[in-house]
Amino acid sequence: MATVALVIVAAAAVFQAAFLLRRENRRDPVSHWMLAAAAVLLLLTLARRSLQIRFAAITSTYEALLFFAAALCVVLFILRVVRRTQGFSPFVLFGATVVAVGLLALSSSPLAPPGIHPPIPALRSYWLVLHVALSFIGEAFFVVSFVAAVAWQVVREEDRRAELDRLVAAAIGVGYPVFTLGALVFGAIWAETAWGAWWSWDPKETWALVTWLVYTAYLHSRLVKSLRGQVSSWLAIAGFAATAFTFLGVNFLLAGLHSYG
Amino acid sequence: PDSARAAHVATQAIRAMDRLVFIPGRLYSQVCPFWAAYSSDGSIATVLPWGIVSAVRIRGAARAALASITSTLTSIPLALGLIAGIIVLAALSTVVPQGMDPAWYGAHFPPLVAAVIRAVRFDVFFRSAVFLGLAGLLVLNLGFCTVTRVVRRAARHAPVRVGPDLVHLGLLVLAVSGIATGLGRREQTLAMVEGDAAGIGSGYHLALRSLQFLAYADGSPRDWISTVGITREGRPEVVVAPIRVNHPLRLPGITVYQSGWDVSGTLRLRDKSGAEVTPPQPGDYFRVGDSVWVFAGFQRDGTAWSAAFNRYEDRELVERRSVRPGDSVGPFTVEAVEAHDRTGLKVVHDPGLAPFLAALLLVTAGMSLTFLQKRRDPS
Ligand code: HEM
């Protein structure tokens, strides 16, 4: 089912690209429905795995990637339906859909083995489930802010920039509190109940903090006139780079570094 | 009507929160009109320090210097600079393995880099003066900002967004909890088999009554449960409670966590002459011809225990064998397999835990409010 979802999301991206190339700046009428369908498929896949292990299936890298992609598709669908104007342009939708394709492609690569394993004792906690789920929902909004910030760098017209700037701020305005609650608050509560220490500075935690601080810097940079615009936009881009590194870089690169070190 | 009601409740909640911050600020400005006057003109964001300055009658250049220090400490660009510094160094610290032996850095980095790492304590970055200094300055910065905003608002009677203030206040409480944890945390790990007992501090005494190991169908661990009886000095009652992974036992002053599980035991072997040999530890090995037998540890075998051995030839595993009393392995005969499940319990006393939870609540409430207030007033 996850493969079918990948095909659907990729087809949605192709469709969006075709519309973009016609340069009418019109939204295509179907791709967001394709994203919704993919999200349903992904969530069904996770539901089936959950029934098999009798616990929320969100504990392996594979499952996390599927959940992240599903959350992103849902967020894009909602934004497409609700936010009719104000910067949520076909380009932003396309860029974010490409990120979803990337996540699903990664989930079907050997880096994320799809084997089903029941969770080890430390992972059997609903704090962990809240922690992971809300972190990824927050990060789905960060994807939107990232693509909008890239678009801000690309376009030159002032009005479009202003719209994109509002979209970046709105996406981070939702993503930041959700990510804070998921990654830091619930993460710390889970760590405390599982290990008896709410913070231990392991690389994953440190990178989650770095990500959070970059977005904190983004929010405060908007309060300083001279930083609003260029600097804020780069911070939104850097924030997503940190998000991606926290999720993937720490798992795939730092672990390697330690085992060779 | 329902949504109108919900909006009404939300408005009331926001007002109540606003009061929470407004009233102390108002009181402050009543009691100290001088400071409030400074803050109300809004030119310099300085409140508390100015009160002290005026109380001890500092004048002239010293006063100007203090003014510039306090306004720097209240500035957002300073906050951004400090945050940027922490971001860069914290990110770097994840590529420099932390807490290794000093010699390790010499062996893995060019001499100059290793020397810098050792000099600035980048090997224990989050305990180093550099990090604590940056974090301390940020907290100071945050304190100045928060107090200034709260008092200035009260003096102006201006209802401003209270959400960010609660977030900032929560972060200050977080800093307090970090300090309390850093200074007052005590931690002890116990490895116990059924029947063991130990004093665990704060006047408590813990006895391990039973142990349970739950496994999934494939044999992998699902949960470890230690049932303990706890008494406190001078009190007759015994608290009997199960401690599971993710379900610690919380008592006034201490928390006990299920932190590990292993098997401890003694494998008694006799050699060909019938003499008992020194019991091997897991990992010990002996050679027979071309084979090497490695003692891999104890295994549950139904209700009894057996000892697991692996035989290697040319470094390749060629046989696994589990032996019980009476069996033989290489030149030895198994006399007895005496093994016990052993639990790992972690006992923690952390005075920072309560302020930590309070900080999380404040930050969560503050962010929710910020979000609601932004939606009502997107400007
Ligand atoms: C790690 C440190 C900090 C965190 C996590 C933090 C967090 C926040 C958050 C979540 C907001 C709401 C922003 C929004 O959603 O628009 C905010 C606003 C604000 N923060 Fe901070 N903050 C921090 C440090 C500081 C410092 C040190 C200062 C002062 C120098 C400061 C000054 C402000 C101001 C003036 C606002 C705007 C309030 C408003 O919109 O009415 N913050 N902060």
Side-chain angles (χ1 to χ4, degrees):
Chain A
M1 269 204 293
T3 315
V4 179
L6 169 59
V7 172
I8 294 177
V9 178
V14 170
F15 207 74
Q16 292 159 354
F19 254 73
L20 270 176
L21 287 177
R22 285 169 45 183
R23 293 191 170 276
E24 288 169 17
N25 202 26
R26 251 184 1 136
R27 293 147 196 280
D28 74 84
V30 288
S31 73
H32 59 296
W33 290 106
M34 297 165 82
L35 294 180
V40 169
L41 278 180
L42 292 170
L43 292 174
L44 280 176
T45 307
L46 291 175
R48 200 180 59 188
R49 292 172 76 99
S50 303
L51 285 175
Q52 268 169 295
I53 60 171
R54 291 165 184 272
F55 193 78
I58 199 167
T59 49
S60 70
T61 304
Y62 175 77
E63 289 158 353
L65 281 163
L66 296 199
F67 184 84
F68 191 1
L72 181 53
C73 290
V74 171
V75 166
L76 294 179
F77 176 77
I78 293 174
L79 282 177
R80 169 68 174 76
V81 172
V82 175
R83 225 185 148 81
R84 296 192 187 285
T85 50
Q86 297 196 356
F88 193 63
S89 61
F91 176 79
V92 176
L93 178 61
F94 169 68
T97 305
V98 169
V99 174
V101 173
L103 291 171
L104 289 173
L106 199 58
S107 79
S108 56
S109 80
L111 286 175
I116 303 186
H117 302 288
I120 59 167
L123 297 181
R124 293 187 65 90
S125 159
Y126 279 93
W127 290 119
L128 168 85
V129 175
L130 282 173
H131 164 55
V132 178
L134 287 184
S135 300
F136 283 124
I137 293 171
E139 289 174 10
F141 284 93
F142 292 164
V143 172
V144 175
S145 69
F146 162 69
V147 180
V150 171
W152 189 96
Q153 294 289 345
V154 173
V155 305
R156 286 281 167 262
E157 305 94 69
E158 277 309 312
D159 326 347
R160 288 191 63 197
R161 274 198 157 180
E163 278 186 353
L164 285 165
D165 179 71
R166 275 200 293 278
L167 177 61
V168 177
I172 293 176
V174 180
Y176 182 81
V178 175
F179 180 80
T180 306
L181 195 64
L184 302 176
V185 174
F186 289 144
I189 294 178
W190 171 55
E192 196 277 333
T193 55
W195 292 304
W198 41 271
W199 196 266
S200 33
W201 296 114
D202 78 19
K204 193 101 179 171
E205 289 175 352
T206 303
W207 271 96
L209 180 74
V210 164
T211 302
W212 185 71
L213 285 176
V214 176
Y215 284 110
T216 302
Y218 167 84
L219 291 175
H220 291 80
S221 75
R222 294 177 60 78
L223 302 170
V224 182
K225 260 215 190 80
S226 59
L227 302 179
R228 237 185 147 127
Q230 275 299 341
V231 173
S232 297
S233 159
W234 280 114
L235 281 170
I237 294 173
F240 184 67
T243 305
F245 194 83
T246 305
F247 178 29
L248 303 171
V250 174
N251 286 16
F252 298 134
L253 298 179
L254 288 188
L257 196 79
H258 285 298
S259 58
Y260 295 120
Chain B
D2 265 4
S3 67
R5 192 117 155 252
H8 178 71
V9 172
T11 313
Q12 292 298 324
I14 291 176
R15 282 219 182 109
M17 290 296 201
D18 199 37
R19 284 274 139 77
L20 205 73
V21 179
F22 183 78
I23 291 172
R26 186 83 205 129
L27 269 177
Y28 186 70
S29 67
Q30 293 290 327
V31 178
C32 319
F34 174 84
W35 308 341
Y38 260 102
S39 48
S40 68
D41 77 29
S43 56
I44 320 172
T46 45
V47 184
L48 191 103
W50 274 108
I52 300 166
V53 169
S54 74
V56 296
R57 299 193 184 289
I58 297 180
R59 293 267 175 270
R63 186 168 188 141
L66 268 173
S68 84
I69 292 174
T70 49
S71 71
T72 306
L73 277 179
T74 321
S75 84
I76 291 184
L78 174 68
L80 287 169
L82 292 170
I83 289 174
I86 293 175
I87 287 173
V88 170
L89 294 176
L92 265 181
S93 82
T94 61
V95 292
V96 175
Q98 297 284 296
M100 311 297 266
D101 202 58
W104 190 93
Y105 297 95
H108 288 81
F109 289 100
L112 188 67
V113 178
V116 172
I117 288 175
R118 280 186 295 236
V120 302
R121 299 315 313 270
F122 206 63
D123 57 332
V124 283
F125 174 61
F126 294 103
R127 276 184 278 141
S128 70
V130 176
F131 173 73
L132 294 178
L134 285 173
L137 265 180
L138 185 59
V139 169
L140 201 66
N141 189 192
L142 189 57
F144 270 76
C145 262
T146 311
V147 171
T148 305
R149 264 176 65 96
V150 169
V151 176
R152 198 192 282 177
R153 143 148 18 115
R156 282 186 189 161
H157 290 271
V160 198
R161 289 176 187 165
V162 67
D165 295 323
L166 286 183
V167 174
H168 294 148
L169 194 66
L171 293 167
L172 292 172
V173 176
L174 188 68
V176 170
S177 87
I179 294 171
T181 295
L183 296 179
R185 184 183 165 97
R186 277 188 278 110
E187 190 179 310
Q188 175 190 5
T189 307
L190 306 168
M192 301 180 117
V193 302
E194 233 167 63
D196 281 356
I200 54 173
S202 307
Y204 290 103
H205 189 86
L206 178 150
L208 183 64
R209 297 199 164 191
S210 69
L211 274 181
Q212 224 184 328
F213 172 87
L214 303 184
Y216 294 111
D218 66 357
S220 61
R222 178 197 158 103
D223 211 344
W224 302 315
I225 308 177
S226 306
T227 304
V228 300
I230 294 209
T231 50
R232 195 166 194 182
E233 249 163 41
R235 310 248 179 106
E237 69 272 15
V238 184
V239 177
V240 177
I243 302 176
R244 301 194 281 139
V245 181
N246 274 309
H247 299 271
L249 174 63
R250 299 188 190 278
L251 298 164
I254 57 165
T255 309
V256 189
Y257 303 85
Q258 178 68 54
S259 71
W261 187 279
D262 66 359
V263 174
S264 75
T266 312
L267 174 62
R268 296 195 189 287
L269 301 175
R270 288 185 189 280
D271 63 15
K272 287 215 168 93
S273 69
E276 199 165 310
V277 299
T278 316
Q281 298 300 314
D284 286 355
Y285 61 91
F286 53 85
R287 283 175 194 283
V288 181
D290 289 339
S291 303
V292 178
W293 286 92
V294 180
F295 174 38
F298 298 96
Q299 272 181 349
R300 204 185 302 271
D301 201 352
T303 52
W305 290 93
S306 61
F309 280 88
N310 295 334
R311 185 161 68 87
Y312 292 85
E313 271 175 20
D314 286 337
R315 298 177 167 268
E316 271 196 44
L317 180 64
V318 291
E319 184 185 352
R320 286 175 196 279
R321 171 123 49 108
S322 69
V323 295
R324 299 190 190 198
D327 293 348
S328 65
V329 51
F332 303 109
T333 314
V334 179
E335 168 81 14
V337 183
E338 296 162 0
H340 308 273
D341 281 317
R342 186 163 65 171
T343 186
L345 295 175
K346 185 154 126 184
V347 183
V348 175
H349 162 81
D350 187 350
L353 188 59
F356 170 71
L357 294 174
L360 293 191
L361 269 177
L362 278 170
V363 169
T364 306
M367 285 197 179
S368 316
L369 263 178
T370 306
F371 180 71
L372 288 177
Q373 289 174 325
K374 261 196 202 167
R375 288 203 44 182
R376 292 162 150 246
D377 166 26
S379 66

